[in-house]
Amino acid sequence: MQLKEKNSPFDQVQAEQLNQLLPTLTEAQRLWLSGYLAAPLANGAETQVSNAGSSPSKTREITILYGSHTGNCQSLADEFSQKLKQQDYQVNVASLDDFKPKSLKKVEDLLVLTSTHGDGDPPDNALSFYDFLHSKRAPKLEGVRYSVLSLGDSSYEFFCQTGKDFDKRLEELGGERIFSRVDCDLDFEEPANEWFNGVLNEIAQGQEEQQSHGAAPASVVNMDSQPSYSRSHPFQAEVLENINLNGRGSNKETRHLEIDLEGSNLEYEPGDSLGIFPENDPELVNKLIELMGWNPEESVSINKQGDLRAIRAALLSTFEITSLTKPLLEKAADLTGSDPLKKLTAPENAEILKEYIYGRDLFDLVQDYGPWEVKPQDFIQVLRKIPVRLYSIASSQKANPDEVHLTIGALRYDAHGRERSGVCSVQCSERSEPGSTLPVFVQRNQNFKLPQNPDTPIIMIGAGTGVAPYRAFLEEREETEASGGSWLFFGEQHFVTDFLYQTEWQRWLKEGVLTKMDIAFSRDTSEKVYVQHRMLEQSEALYEWLQAGAHVYVCGDEKYMAKDVQDTLLAIIQKEGELNEEEANTYLNEMRKEKRYQRDVY
């Protein structure tokens, strides 16, 4: 509905401003504005509207609980909490494991944000809550309203499974669903915000009567003049150094990047990650456009706001083209009408589809089942946005002001008759020379942090690039002169070519910043030796450190290394503590609850 100047009390400028504003308002914002305008202005004074000025006279308390592995759900929880507080809602925010589960029945409005880990498992900081909720001890939840936001990756079989499980269980316990669960893929920003707005609208409906009877005076807008860089507004950071850490003859290429953050106001702590918005390989993009017969300069709309890009630019930096998912193939089958694709995506061919998807990309799909006469604008509708890559930060900001360092292993392999490469890792390896820029932001990770007490000992276990955060840990401990012991278990293939940051570890050992170091180079001996073998060799001493309150950190490959390390930890605890299997599991679970067992695995 357009406001026209001739039939309203507004002049032309005011009418234009209102016409720009009104279509952008959510239902909750409209409700608040109607209450605000209906309220008399105090003493006839002029009042400026602020997003911090809404004040429902009586609101139900909102509890936001998150289960987060990489920090995405935690970031969203913090963001949504701030938005609710700006409208004067009472909000409590906590990780699922930090929340006392027996208090659940006292909650009024519950928002659960969770990722899914591994093969449909909850993230580490949601395990205890998940187990409690699915146990006989879980309370009835009549009177509790809830909604679930689930983050996942549609290329995995158990997509968003943890969120689905929570949603189902909360309903079974008698909770009332405020708003339908939303399952987000890797490009979660838009659907997550749509979910939040939907939830807020439903909550606001319950406040409509109170708000219509009056609203508290609004406060003055406080505009921050400093640019705020974040996931939605990344900082273009200059690459200062890009060094290959591996020696000549190595089977690997591991890059050490030093990146300039001057002028960004970005801050980070050891354990946090740096997010990079990557670009696809220009050669692969060109081949795909040529195969489809498109004009590379044809414009396409890349989002709901209607922003336009040339199709080549869109495929280069906006859309994912290097992996296939079941939803993508199903959408492509509907779009193209391809009978072979429809057959491939039929339920009875689930295993065949799974096998086809593994290791293939969009070019393979078009080559095998196309090309089709499809307009670029229609084709990109089936694609998801290119996901951000998160890398564990390998530096301390105290030691390196205005810089951030990364340790990135370049991924290259052959599959299905073609050479393949990691999108971001090879971009950083081959196309990020000093002087070039990368769009970056800091991703907080409260699940991988140094102990608050500098006297607390730490045990760091990692292989390959999994050693990155431990470099940050030791730089930080050196700067703060922390007195707690530190023990590093590090593994790679070859001592001569793959001992990442060797001289730094040796210097820290000499200076006492690093107390102990055990190394395992799997290809240097007839029998492969990994970090878990070194842990077993140090079984008695390692258990003594645990008994002394040491915090244990594991960083690296989840499927193999992290699993083997956890099994080894349990074996050591069982043997040295003279415990049975159940008691050893309880011991490790207690460590996790006390944040003494933290993992950053991928």
Side-chain angles (χ1 to χ4, degrees), residues 114-161:
T114 183
S115 59
T116 294
H117 200 41
D119 294 323
D121 300 321
D124 283 1
N125 66 347
L127 281 168
S128 297
F129 185 91
Y130 183 92
D131 290 342
F132 173 85
L133 200 68
H134 288 83
S135 73
K136 293 180 180 180
R137 293 178 294 128
K140 294 297 181 183
L141 300 179
E142 285 86 357
V144 177
R145 304 193 306 176
Y146 75 92
S147 186
V148 176
L149 179 70
S150 186
L151 269 58
D153 181 345
S154 61
S155 64
Y156 285 85
E157 181 178 359
F158 299 101
F159 173 57
C160 288
Q161 189 61 49

Side-chain angles (χ1 to χ4, degrees), residues 326 329-330 333 338-354:
K326 181 182 177 182
L329 267 67
E330 290 173 338
S338 167
D339 289 333
L341 259 187
K342 290 179 179 178
K343 182 179 179 182
L344 178 64
T345 55
E348 62 269 20
N349 291 324
E351 287 303 314
I352 298 173
L353 174 62
K354 190 175 178 181

Side-chain angles (χ1 to χ4, degrees), residues 320-528:
E320 182 178 51
I321 64 173
T322 55
S323 65
L324 300 178
T325 66
K326 181 182 177 182
L328 187 157
L329 267 67
E330 290 173 338
K331 292 176 185 177
D334 290 340
L335 174 67
T336 63
S338 167
D339 289 333
L341 259 187
K342 290 179 179 178
K343 182 179 179 182
L344 178 64
T345 55
E348 62 269 20
N349 291 324
E351 287 303 314
I352 298 173
L353 174 62
K354 190 175 178 181
E355 183 180 341
Y356 177 77
I357 285 174
Y358 185 76
R360 288 186 169 90
D361 60 21
L362 194 60
F363 183 82
D364 293 312
L365 178 65
V366 175
Q367 195 170 46
D368 294 342
Y369 289 92
W372 309 284
E373 292 186 6
V374 177
K375 293 180 179 179
Q377 183 64 64
D378 295 330
F379 191 76
I380 64 169
Q381 301 305 314
V382 310
L383 305 180
R384 64 181 182 180
K385 298 291 176 61
I386 189 169
V388 165
R389 269 44 174 192
L390 296 175
Y391 293 101
S392 300
I393 291 174
S395 57
S396 160
Q397 199 162 29
K398 288 185 175 69
N400 304 276
D402 291 327
E403 287 185 18
V404 63
H405 300 173
L406 300 179
T407 311
I408 301 176
L411 178 63
R412 298 183 181 87
Y413 59 100
D414 290 329
H416 307 293
R418 276 178 48 214
E419 293 183 356
R420 320 273 171 155
S421 60
V423 176
C424 193
S425 65
V426 172
Q427 177 188 355
C428 289
S429 169
E430 297 180 356
R431 306 193 300 278
S432 298
E433 63 277 358
S436 63
T437 60
L438 292 167
V440 304
F441 65 95
V442 171
Q443 178 88 344
R444 298 286 185 181
N445 184 4
Q446 296 302 322
N447 304 315
F448 205 76
K449 282 286 178 279
L450 281 167
Q452 290 187 347
N453 184 349
D455 297 334
T456 303
I458 60 174
I459 299 170
M460 304 166 287
I461 306 165
T465 57
V467 81
Y470 306 143
R471 181 177 184 266
F473 281 10
L474 292 184
E475 281 193 347
E476 183 85 358
R477 284 202 146 192
E478 182 177 33
E479 288 294 315
T480 59
E481 299 181 352
S483 58
S486 56
W487 189 350
L488 174 65
F489 289 89
F490 171 66
E492 250 295 0
Q493 289 190 354
H494 298 285
F495 175 88
V496 174
T497 59
D498 305 321
F499 198 166
L500 307 182
Y501 301 115
Q502 177 184 1
T503 56
E504 295 186 34
W505 309 127
Q506 290 173 333
R507 177 177 66 81
W508 280 323
L509 271 172
K510 182 179 179 180
E511 296 174 358
V513 177
L514 180 60
T515 311
K516 290 169 65 74
M517 180 168 63
D518 284 271
I519 52 180
F521 293 97
S522 59
R523 304 300 194 271
D524 283 347
T525 53
S526 56
E527 284 192 29
K528 293 182 179 178

Side-chain angles (χ1 to χ4, degrees), residues 549-561:
H551 286 217
V552 177
Y553 301 89
V554 182
C555 184
D557 169 65
E558 177 191 22
K559 193 172 184 181
Y560 300 108
M561 189 279 288

Side-chain angles (χ1 to χ4, degrees), residues 6-22:
K6 66 180 182 180
N7 60 4
S8 76
F10 304 104
D11 61 30
Q12 182 179 356
V13 173
Q14 290 173 322
E16 288 176 354
Q17 290 174 336
L18 284 169
N19 284 328
Q20 289 176 352
L21 172 65
L22 291 174

Side-chain angles (χ1 to χ4, degrees), residues 208-320:
E208 180 176 3
E209 183 176 343
Q210 294 98 317
Q211 291 186 35
S212 66
H213 286 118
S219 57
V220 176
V221 176
N222 179 21
M223 298 300 292
D224 188 354
S225 60
Q226 291 282 356
S228 179
Y229 294 105
S230 62
R231 187 186 187 107
S232 58
H233 183 208
F235 176 68
Q236 293 291 335
E238 181 180 350
V239 177
L240 301 173
E241 293 284 352
N242 190 339
I243 303 165
N244 185 4
L245 295 176
N246 297 98
R248 186 176 299 173
S250 174
N251 297 321
K252 297 189 172 186
E253 182 185 347
T254 309
R255 311 299 299 195
H256 171 79
L257 269 69
E258 298 183 2
I259 297 171
D260 188 4
L261 295 182
E262 186 175 1
S264 69
N265 295 320
L266 290 175
E267 296 181 351
Y268 64 87
E269 296 176 349
D272 290 340
S273 296
L274 191 76
I276 299 178
F277 285 88
E279 288 190 352
N280 287 309
D281 181 356
E283 186 177 335
L284 180 61
V285 170
N286 294 340
K287 288 170 65 177
L288 181 60
I289 290 174
E290 183 180 354
L291 187 59
M292 288 297 292
W294 292 331
N295 174 1
E297 298 305 315
E298 182 174 342
S299 292
V300 293
S301 173
I302 61 169
N303 53 31
K304 293 181 180 179
Q305 290 72 43
D307 293 333
L308 298 178
R309 298 284 189 279
I311 182 61
R312 184 180 185 277
L315 292 176
L316 195 65
S317 59
T318 304
F319 294 102
E320 182 178 51

